[in-house]
Amino acid sequence: MALKGSGLGLRRGMLDDLSALTSKDVDFLEVAPENWIGVGGRYGKAFRAFTERFPFACHGLSLSIGSSDDLDIEFVKSVKQFLDTHGIETYSEHLSYCSHNGHMYDLMPIPFSLDAARYVADRVKQVQDIIHRPLILENVSTYAMLGDGMSELEFMKEVIQRSGCKMLLDVNNVYVNATNHKFNPDEYIQSLPSNSIEYLHIAGHFDEAEDLLVDTHGADVKPQVWALLKLAYECHGVLPTLLERDFNLPTVTELLSEVNLIKQYQQEASNERQLA
Amino acid sequence: MNANLRKFKQDQQGFSDHIRSAEQSEAISGIEDRRLNIYRELFFNNVEGFVSSTFPVLHELFNDEQWDQLVRDFFVTHKCETPYFLEISEEFLQYLEHSKLDFLPAFSYQLAHWEWMELFADVAETNDVSEERSEIHLSDQLTTNDCTWNVGYDFSVQKISADFVPEEPETTFLIVHRDADLSVGFIEINPLSMLLFEQLKGNETQSVETLLSSIAKQQGIELDVIMNGGLEIIRQWGQLGLLKAC
């Protein structure tokens, strides 16, 4: 099922709280396949009940597309099987690496360069051959920049262009990185290739310092980030958008009211596009 | 691999080494320490979270400094192979089995294994679902269903807590079972019952009567005693939903 509208990340600890969720509340849900592959018992059963009722996206964590370690082909095949089993079309991952001589379970910044972009694009193609669909890569928050000075925007565009992959545009990560590495977030969003953007993420962050933000997914979305969402819709169309909230979880009502805000922005942007 | 990719690999080696252990690796020039610190903390706290959520009893046996040292040693020295988050606990178990830290009690690995069993049983993908058998006959050909798991330990791991730390070993046999409502429970059994359970587990064609007779013979115990006692236990297990037809 293709995605549309507004979505919410589904976490294992929230399954009971969200059991009464309907399509009036959200249009789609998202999970990390690494948390659900091979999971049976009560969680597997509850998960199946959700995948039968809602369109889903898979947002992976362990692919480590940017790593100098070899790709885990068996893992990619397992993801493909999982997608097929649950009828999930959308598989996104992070333009990052999370392993070096072993898995480290969080995201490290790829050292940017043209050669690195080529290297990553080759791996993306390998993955796409296995999963039989475009891989969707998300711009990740970073707190350090390595590489030869190539910008994140150039790197992302290079990987997309060389591999034919799609993009998951995380507007909070754009804001965080624009602050952390001093670039213009509006220009970043405006410069992206519209046809390549598949869907969006939005989330909250933590202000470590005025010039250093941390992508915690543990707070309400900031006004400046809502503004970037609006800009993204203006530039690239009203794309499906998911709210990510992983820590300091509020009540379901509060979560859904933030999802509702997404819907409002989408409605406004649609109206404006119709008037234009 | 060309020179640029070699540098690419070296950069990743240096960065990941630094995240694992700032003390044991080289500094990374050109990057503020407060930025590197964000990575160090995010990565370590993430792993610590996974470990402490699966091993809460083990956690409560140590003070903060010891726990930090334990998780850090795992984080720095153990190469994790699994891409799956729920299996990080298995990686920790593997580490614990060979850990050289001197403050670990003798029962540490077995306690952790017991705690891991609960997670394992909760999420295992099996074809069977537990079904109650209210009647057992001597002629029944029974085996155990796939939602039961038997384990043996040298310590009474199921009793351990911050308030009860065993000084001496105590051989302990336990059966973990996932019920029809998918909740996980366990029972403690004696060595003879454990033997019976294992016979049932591997059983494909033998009747209850045959199984009990061979146990009586093997163990040199009176047939009557085994028949009555054994049948009673099998009935209990049937009611708990641990058994199915061969």
Side-chain angles (χ1 to χ4, degrees), chain B residues 165-194:
Chain B
V165 172
E167 304 279 310
E168 298 300 325
E170 185 187 335
T171 305
T172 305
F173 295 113
L174 299 153
I175 298 177
V176 184
H177 54 96
R178 190 164 80 201
D179 300 336
D181 67 356
L182 304 179
S183 65
V184 171
F186 71 89
I187 53 173
E188 190 181 348
I189 57 175
N190 65 34
L192 202 52
S193 298
M194 185 65 151

Side-chain angles (χ1 to χ4, degrees), chain A residues 40 42 62 66 103 105 115 211, chain B residues 4 12 34 46 82-83 122-123:
Chain A
R42 60 194 169 110
S62 297
H103 273 284
Y105 309 107
D115 276 336
D211 63 338
Chain B
N4 288 330
Q12 294 196 358
R34 61 171 182 153
N46 186 38
T82 184
D122 202 3
V123 303

Side-chain angles (χ1 to χ4, degrees), chain B residues 133-142 190 192-193 196-197 200 206-213 215-216 222-240 243:
Chain B
R133 285 190 94 85
S134 42
E135 275 184 43
I136 307 283
H137 309 108
L138 284 170
S139 56
D140 287 345
Q141 290 164 319
L142 299 174
N190 65 34
L192 202 52
S193 298
L196 174 57
F197 188 86
L200 281 165
Q206 310 222 29
S207 68
V208 167
E209 183 164 17
T210 312
L211 280 182
L212 290 175
S213 311
I215 289 179
E222 265 184 60
L223 190 57
D224 276 353
V225 173
I226 293 289
M227 278 299 169
N228 291 330
L231 201 49
E232 180 50 40
I233 299 225
I234 292 178
R235 286 206 171 104
Q236 279 173 29
W237 290 346
Q239 273 169 354
L240 278 175
L243 307 172

Side-chain angles (χ1 to χ4, degrees), chain A residues 34-35 38 40 42 62 66-68 78 100-109 115 142-143 180 211, chain B residues 4 8-9 12-13 15-16 20 34-35 39 43 46 79-86 122-123 125 178:
Chain A
E34 295 84 354
N35 279 328
R42 60 194 169 110
S62 297
S67 177
S68 57
S78 298
H100 189 85
N101 286 338
H103 273 284
M104 294 168 70
Y105 309 107
D106 208 328
L107 307 171
M108 289 175 279
D115 276 336
T142 58
Y143 314 104
N180 293 351
D211 63 338
Chain B
N4 288 330
F8 181 73
K9 186 172 173 173
Q12 294 196 358
Q13 178 81 61
F15 198 81
S16 57
R20 282 185 163 115
R34 61 171 182 153
R35 292 170 184 270
Y39 281 108
F43 275 68
N46 186 38
K79 180 180 171 180
C80 288
E81 309 273 6
T82 184
Y84 303 115
F85 287 83
L86 286 176
D122 202 3
V123 303
E125 276 184 321
R178 190 164 80 201

